[in-house]
Amino acid sequence: MSEQPAQLPQPLLDALACSRFLRRQLDSRPWLTERLIASIGAPLDATALRDYLRGETLDDNTLKPVLRKLRAWVICHVLVRDIARLADLTEVTESMTLLADIAVEAAHDVLREQLVARHGIPLSADGREQEFIIIGMGKLGGRELNVSSDIDLIFVYPEDGSTAGPKIIDNFEFFTKLGRGVIQALNDITGDGQVFRVDMRLRPNGDSGPLVASFDMLENYFITQGREWERYAWIKARVMTGIRSAELNAISRPFIFRKYLDFGAINAMRDLHAQIRREVARKDMVNNVKLGPGGIREIEFLAQVFQLIRGGRDTSLQIKPTLKVLGRLAERGIITRETERELAAAYDFLRRVEHRLQYLDDAQTHNLPTNEGDQTIIARAMGFATYEGLLNELDDHRGAVARHFNGVFGDPNEKGHDLDTLWASASDEEHCGEEFRRLGYSDPASAARRLATLKGGNRYLQMPPSIKTRFDPLIPRVVEAAAETADPNATFERLLDMLDAISRRGSYLALLQQYPQTLHKVAELVGASSWAAQFLNRHPILLDEALDPRMLEEELDLPAFRAELATQLDEIEPDMERQMDLMREQHHAQVFRLLTKDIAGKLTVERHADFLSALADIIVDLTVTMCWRKIKNRHRDDPKFAVLAYGKLGGKELGYASDLDMVFVHDDDAPEAAEIYTRLGQRTNTWLSAQTPAGHLFETDLRLRPNGDAGLMVVSLESFRQYQLENAWVWEHQALTRARFCAGDREIGRKFEAIRVEVLRQQRDLTKLREEVIAMRQRMAEAHPNKTELFDLKHDRGGLIDVEFIVQYLVLGHAHQHASLTGNLGNIALLHMAGELGLIPADQAGTVADSYREYRRLQHGLRLNNQASRVERDQVAAAAAGVRTLWAHVFGSA
């Protein structure tokens, strides 16, 4: 035994008590003790490891012993700091990852140099130098390497070709030789030990596949043979050598991350985990802290399944470290903060136990010890007085992990459903009708017919088995969920329509299958609103939103939404198609969240309209920004261009399906301004109104611009002012009362508001104004005749149009005396203001304001169920009478 310094520092003594491996290393490597004493006061970094290698001679003969000496120092350094509580888990795993990175890098550099000397530089067919790209997988890829881990590698190179000579070989052979050399340098067991066990089984086709693959080979493999478990493995893939990682990522990313929400990954991951569980049971590995119940692997699976599900759409989830993924999931409400804390605490505890098991003898083990001596050592290394105390805390953590894991991966359909027999006997309409009657359906025969038609229809009969296995368990749950709503028959029909719309997308079926509570939320929603049902049918991706338990309670934060959407749009610049889809998806999600709150009765009509209008402002403003970037030869960085909102958007009374009435203006003296801003206006209008795979944003209407359809699409601000002062019709000034700046250059917005006020405050002949407003009202009434016995909330006398015309007349007729009337405050506020100013009786102003609010509430409810804005006349008789009374007061006629 070699002599040790007389007095070892306490951290080293503590570590020696917990590691037989450390004792053997110090005894067999006389230089190691002093190096540890000098280094254990601080973490190791890449500079320290590279400095160590620079102090050694690295060539074909020395490569193996030098790397093994480096490994001995690093692992013993980490071991001492960890057991002495000087290092946290992140430091331990990062230090081991650095060791792997630098060892791989050194082996690659030395061995490539030798091969190049013999065969020349590997070149592509067109003469470009080719590099060897080593990919770290698993914990190495995630920078989470444990202290006695093997390393999972994959070897690729960009293009086929051959070396430059002297002894010419093709690139495949060159890189195969290099790959074998790297493996031997790290994996071979010599008298100095081993650096890392190297596992190449994650490469395409595993052990039966070639050791190296070109980019083309890899891409073809992903397309034709890539399996679900390989997607899971490739999440952690990290390029360790070479500079062409961006090209490699472009190949692998579409394989790993789907463009759509991929809830089918849950079933695939559940099957993979079931295989692992069977293997654990077969080998009696219940006390394995990695693979056993509630172990490390379950935390990793839980984090990575959400990456597979959502990572294609949320690129911020395309990260590798497990704890960071859990944090991102909590930020997005996919898991709760409490779940994140419990899983992170369990991960930290389990990984520290794992390391102490491996410190004993530097063995790749994850099994708890069976002999008392080792149990005592592990307990002490973890800071417990007894092994029983350690097990108690370990069981708490594993129990928490298993609970959360089962919550995600447990099969809710495992035990079947009470109504499975209903679906099985769907062809027996009489029997099914009795069951629907028992469940409270008002028209059980109709529901039974629909069920039988579904079961016997071609759409169902032609479903692939993989889809049927997801579709079948849903039908009994649809029947049950519909029965719990106010109108089971209507809800049942709408839910079946939705299933029909998504039946070819297994991922959406998997979502509803895995999360039955979502189906109940959706049933409530579509049962309350046929418009909501149609919206979901058009955009089934929104089913995912129903998973968020915070949806009803959490405030809708539009500034945060804008900032996040702007960032996401910037990240995918210049991909216009993806940007247009992203904007639609995000807008639809916000509308769906609002819709959910709306139907739950948590919003007034005013708040709902304010939100939709503000949301539209954001979308239009970001659209202008995106479209300006796409214009070539633009003459300035920021456009002097603005969008003016009219109609419902201008009055902040936007509904779910409202058009956007807009006018485009610019304030730019550049000679090319008119042409460039016309192009910008056209692109903005197209971006907003075009149908893409993600749907569309808005129907747009530009006819309120100066001279209507015959006018320019974009006018200068001065031309707009001149038109309004000299050529506009009274009805155009009526429209101007509800106009406002919506998007674009804010300085133009301020100038527009000044023009608007100037126009509205012109003194007008009240008699002539009254005649023109009455004439316009008559033309509108003739254009929208009501031939029913019902009251048309919008167009009938005493309805919404009458209130709007009264307010517009009061603004145009009296704003020259009362500037406050020019404010775009909404009809209710302006009615009260007119009452306070004595322009109309205050009591009548209040009555009509209440009528207007009630009309909008009724209209909104009818539109939610795609019904015309008409009600029984008795229902609004008092409200309509109040409006007609005020009309007569203002205009002198009923």
Side-chain angles (χ1 to χ4, degrees):
M1 182 181 294
S2 62
E3 290 188 12
Q4 301 288 357
Q7 183 61 46
L8 294 176
Q10 191 61 45
L12 206 52
L13 292 172
D14 292 342
L16 283 167
C18 298
S19 173
R20 293 184 287 267
F21 164 71
L22 178 61
R23 170 60 63 191
R24 291 195 297 270
Q25 290 296 302
L26 295 183
D27 288 345
S28 63
R29 302 181 190 274
W31 54 272
L32 184 55
T33 302
E34 288 189 12
R35 179 167 280 277
L36 286 174
I37 292 172
S39 69
I40 59 174
L44 294 176
D45 58 18
T47 300
L49 272 60
R50 289 198 171 96
D51 285 347
Y52 179 92
L53 292 181
R54 275 192 285 269
E56 302 282 343
T57 300
L58 274 182
D59 56 30
D60 188 37
N61 294 320
T62 62
L63 179 62
K64 288 182 180 179
V66 167
L67 291 181
R68 282 150 182 77
K69 284 176 63 180
L70 175 64
R71 194 258 184 185
W73 171 43
V74 172
I75 191 172
C76 291
H77 176 100
V78 166
L79 185 159
V80 173
R81 283 183 57 81
D82 190 6
I83 290 178
R85 303 288 196 278
L86 299 174
D88 61 12
L89 176 63
T90 300
E91 180 187 321
V92 172
T93 56
E94 176 62 18
S95 297
M96 294 307 300
T97 302
L98 279 175
L99 171 64
D101 285 359
I102 289 169
V104 167
E105 174 189 288
H108 168 272
D109 292 351
V110 169
L111 297 171
R112 179 185 170 95
E113 186 178 351
Q114 291 176 353
L115 285 170
V116 167
R118 191 176 310 131
H119 300 288
I121 293 172
L123 303 172
S124 64
D126 59 0
R128 289 175 296 155
E129 182 175 348
Q130 298 300 292
E131 60 188 18
F132 190 47
I133 298 176
I134 300 177
I135 304 169
M137 305 290 284
K139 285 187 167 62
L140 172 59
R143 309 198 72 86
E144 301 167 319
L145 211 56
N146 64 49
V147 293
S148 291
S149 180
D150 57 8
I151 57 174
D152 297 291
L153 301 178
I154 293 176
F155 299 149
V156 297
Y157 61 95
E159 298 174 59
D160 285 317
S162 58
T163 61
K167 186 177 180 181
I168 297 174
I169 58 175
D170 63 38
N171 290 351
F172 177 81
E173 184 179 353
F174 179 94
F175 290 122
T176 299
K177 287 176 180 287
L178 180 53
R180 285 175 181 156
V182 170
I183 293 170
Q184 291 166 1
L186 302 173
N187 188 76
D188 284 359
I189 300 174
T190 72
D192 296 298
Q194 185 182 43
V195 188
F196 289 102
R197 291 170 296 274
V198 178
D199 191 335
M200 300 296 299
R201 290 175 296 177
L202 291 178
R203 70 184 188 268
N205 292 307
D207 285 340
S208 63
L211 188 65
V212 300
S214 68
F215 281 1
D216 283 347
M217 291 168 62
L218 182 66
E219 185 170 23
N220 184 62
Y221 177 81
F222 284 153
I223 293 170
T224 61
Q225 299 181 61
R227 290 157 289 184
E228 283 293 324
W229 69 262
E230 289 177 292
R231 292 178 59 208
Y232 163 78
W234 272 83
I235 288 176
K236 296 282 191 183
R238 176 171 62 88
V239 173
M240 301 172 68
T241 61
I243 62 173
R244 295 178 69 173
S245 58
E247 294 171 71
L248 182 60
N249 288 337
I251 293 169
S252 63
R253 189 178 293 115
F255 169 66
I256 306 166
F257 300 109
R258 304 294 190 246
K259 287 183 178 179
Y260 51 84
L261 287 166
D262 186 17
F263 280 91
I266 290 182
N267 289 332
M269 296 281 274
R270 184 192 291 126
D271 293 343
L272 177 59
H273 187 259
Q275 294 174 23
I276 295 172
R277 278 271 175 94
R278 287 193 293 271
E279 187 72 5
V280 167
R282 187 177 68 81
K283 295 182 177 180
D284 192 23
M285 297 163 65
V286 69
N287 284 323
N288 186 300
V289 298
K290 177 181 179 181
L291 301 179
I296 296 165
R297 180 57 56 83
E298 291 191 354
I299 302 173
E300 293 170 341
F301 267 43
L302 197 149
Q304 286 171 276
V305 75
F306 286 117
Q307 289 183 279
L308 289 179
I309 291 170
R310 302 171 185 277
R313 304 181 63 78
D314 186 348
T315 56
S316 69
L317 291 176
Q318 294 179 12
I319 57 176
K320 306 183 193 308
T322 300
L323 292 177
K324 288 186 178 178
V325 174
L326 292 174
R328 295 273 172 91
L329 295 176
E331 286 172 10
R332 282 149 180 74
I334 298 168
I335 62 174
T336 65
R337 284 292 183 187
E338 181 60 27
T339 298
E340 180 207 3
R341 283 192 292 271
E342 289 189 356
L343 291 174
Y347 185 80
D348 180 84
F349 189 87
L350 290 165
R351 291 299 307 272
R352 289 191 295 113
V353 170
E354 173 188 49
H355 289 152
R356 280 148 182 76
L357 294 172
Q358 295 170 352
Y359 291 148
L360 281 173
D361 294 299
D362 190 26
Q364 190 187 18
T365 182
H366 307 91
N367 289 318
L368 296 172
T370 56
N371 71 76
E372 280 191 32
D374 287 355
Q375 289 175 349
T376 301
I377 291 173
I378 297 300
R380 174 179 174 179
M382 284 295 292
F384 288 87
T386 66
Y387 187 64
E388 289 71 23
L390 168 65
L391 288 182
N392 287 337
E393 183 158 343
L394 178 63
D395 287 344
D396 285 345
H397 285 302
R398 293 201 295 187
V401 172
R403 185 176 72 254
H404 292 304
F405 182 87
N406 290 333
V408 172
F409 288 96
D411 186 353
N413 306 295
E414 190 173 12
K415 296 180 181 179
H417 192 277
D418 292 343
L419 295 174
D420 283 342
T421 55
L422 179 68
W423 178 232
S425 60
S427 58
D428 186 346
E429 291 188 35
E430 185 175 348
H431 166 75
C432 291
E434 288 300 320
E435 191 68 8
F436 279 116
R437 181 176 291 105
R438 182 185 68 79
L439 290 167
Y441 281 67
S442 59
D443 188 351
S446 172
R449 274 195 307 276
R450 179 69 195 270
L451 196 67
T453 301
L454 173 64
K455 190 75 174 279
N458 286 334
R459 174 68 69 89
Y460 176 76
L461 294 175
Q462 293 173 6
M463 281 183 186
S466 60
I467 295 294
K468 273 189 180 178
T469 58
R470 294 175 181 174
F471 188 88
D472 287 343
L474 287 175
I475 299 302
R477 287 164 173 77
V478 164
V479 174
E480 177 186 56
E484 295 171 357
T485 63
D487 187 348
N489 278 89
T491 306
F492 183 57
E493 291 283 341
R494 293 167 188 172
L495 286 174
L496 290 187
D497 287 343
M498 183 189 73
L499 287 185
D500 185 59
I502 66 174
S503 61
R504 295 179 183 176
R505 293 292 297 274
S507 182
Y508 296 133
L509 296 176
L511 183 160
L512 295 173
Q513 178 190 14
Q514 183 65 29
Y515 297 103
Q517 72 274 21
T518 300
L519 192 56
H520 286 267
K521 290 183 181 178
V522 171
E524 292 173 14
L525 197 66
V526 304
S529 168
S530 59
W531 187 89
Q534 292 173 354
F535 190 59
L536 268 176
N537 289 352
R538 289 195 302 271
H539 312 295
I541 193 172
L542 297 172
L543 290 169
D544 176 53
E545 296 292 330
L547 281 177
D548 192 342
R550 306 168 302 172
M551 184 181 294
L552 283 179
E553 304 305 325
E554 196 172 66
E555 283 298 313
L556 297 164
D557 188 345
L558 281 178
F561 164 76
R562 182 203 169 91
E564 184 170 354
L565 178 55
T567 299
Q568 292 174 331
L569 291 167
D570 288 343
E571 287 173 352
I572 55 178
E573 180 73 34
D575 188 342
M576 185 178 74
E577 289 184 8
R578 181 69 195 112
Q579 287 173 327
M580 291 177 74
D581 279 345
L582 175 66
M583 190 176 282
R584 281 154 177 73
E585 291 157 4
Q586 295 297 326
H587 177 260
H588 296 154
Q590 292 294 315
V591 170
F592 184 75
R593 290 169 190 160
L594 181 76
L595 180 63
T596 304
K597 286 177 174 286
D598 185 10
I599 289 175
K602 292 183 175 291
L603 294 174
T604 63
V605 173
E606 288 84 3
R607 279 200 64 200
H608 136 272
D610 284 346
F611 181 89
L612 283 177
S613 302
L615 178 60
D617 288 355
I618 289 171
I619 295 298
V620 174
D621 194 52
L622 288 174
T623 295
V624 171
T625 300
M626 293 297 109
C627 290
W628 183 245
R629 290 179 186 174
K630 314 298 181 192
I631 292 179
K632 296 178 181 178
N633 304 319
R634 55 185 184 271
H635 62 298
R636 57 189 307 140
D637 291 335
D638 299 309
K640 299 293 287 182
F641 174 92
V643 180
L644 311 180
Y646 277 70
K648 289 190 177 300
L649 178 61
K652 297 183 180 180
E653 293 184 353
L654 212 62
Y656 291 116
S658 297
D659 295 352
L660 299 191
D661 291 295
M662 300 180 296
V663 171
F664 299 146
V665 297
H666 76 84
D667 189 24
D668 192 332
D669 293 331
E672 64 270 42
E675 179 183 349
I676 288 178
Y677 290 128
T678 296
R679 203 176 312 146
L680 176 59
Q682 289 168 337
R683 291 196 175 192
T684 298
N685 189 53
T686 299
W687 186 298
L688 291 169
S689 59
Q691 185 81 17
T692 78
H696 88 290
L697 286 167
F698 303 101
E699 296 294 338
T700 59
D701 191 335
L702 307 181
R703 291 174 296 178
L704 287 174
R705 65 186 186 268
N707 294 307
D709 285 340
L712 298 172
M713 174 173 276
V714 184
V715 298
S716 71
L717 193 63
E718 183 54 38
S719 295
F720 177 86
R721 176 180 180 273
Q722 183 178 359
Y723 177 84
Q724 291 291 340
L725 290 172
E726 298 176 8
N727 304 107
W729 297 81
V730 168
W731 68 262
E732 291 178 283
H733 288 174
Q734 287 180 250
L736 197 63
T737 65
R738 288 158 59 87
R740 62 183 178 84
F741 166 74
C742 166
D745 184 275
R746 293 189 176 278
E747 180 58 31
I748 297 179
R750 284 189 284 272
K751 290 180 178 179
F752 161 72
E753 182 60 20
I755 293 170
R756 194 180 79 89
V757 171
E758 179 185 7
V759 172
L760 295 183
R761 294 201 69 191
Q762 292 181 104
Q763 186 164 354
R764 294 172 172 82
D765 181 324
L766 291 183
T767 301
K768 184 178 178 182
L769 175 65
R770 190 179 298 117
E771 290 172 353
E772 292 199 38
V773 171
I774 291 172
M776 174 58 68
R777 178 68 184 96
Q778 182 59 33
R779 286 195 291 273
M780 287 191 69
E782 291 168 357
H784 297 90
N786 178 11
K787 298 179 180 179
T788 73
E789 296 298 318
L790 300 174
F791 179 82
D792 189 311
L793 293 168
K794 182 175 182 179
H795 293 289
D796 276 0
R797 296 293 185 176
L800 286 163
I801 295 292
D802 278 5
V803 179
E804 291 170 358
F805 271 49
I806 289 169
V807 171
Q808 291 161 11
Y809 167 80
L810 292 171
V811 171
L812 294 178
H814 300 282
H816 70 283
Q817 291 178 306
H818 307 288
S820 57
L821 288 172
T822 62
N824 191 334
L825 306 175
N827 290 311
I828 292 173
L830 288 170
L831 279 168
H832 286 299
M833 185 182 293
E836 291 166 1
L837 292 171
L839 303 177
I840 55 176
D843 59 338
Q844 290 187 35
T847 298
V848 172
D850 290 342
S851 298
Y852 188 78
R853 182 182 288 110
E854 177 63 8
Y855 287 161
R856 286 188 60 200
R857 187 188 69 79
L858 291 170
Q859 184 185 55
H860 179 62
L862 291 165
R863 286 178 174 173
L864 279 175
N865 279 293
N866 293 305
Q867 295 175 355
S869 297
R870 290 171 179 167
V871 297
E872 294 291 340
R873 291 188 177 274
D874 291 347
Q875 186 177 353
V876 292
V883 174
R884 286 196 297 270
T885 298
L886 183 57
W887 180 277
H889 177 86
V890 171
F891 293 106
S893 61

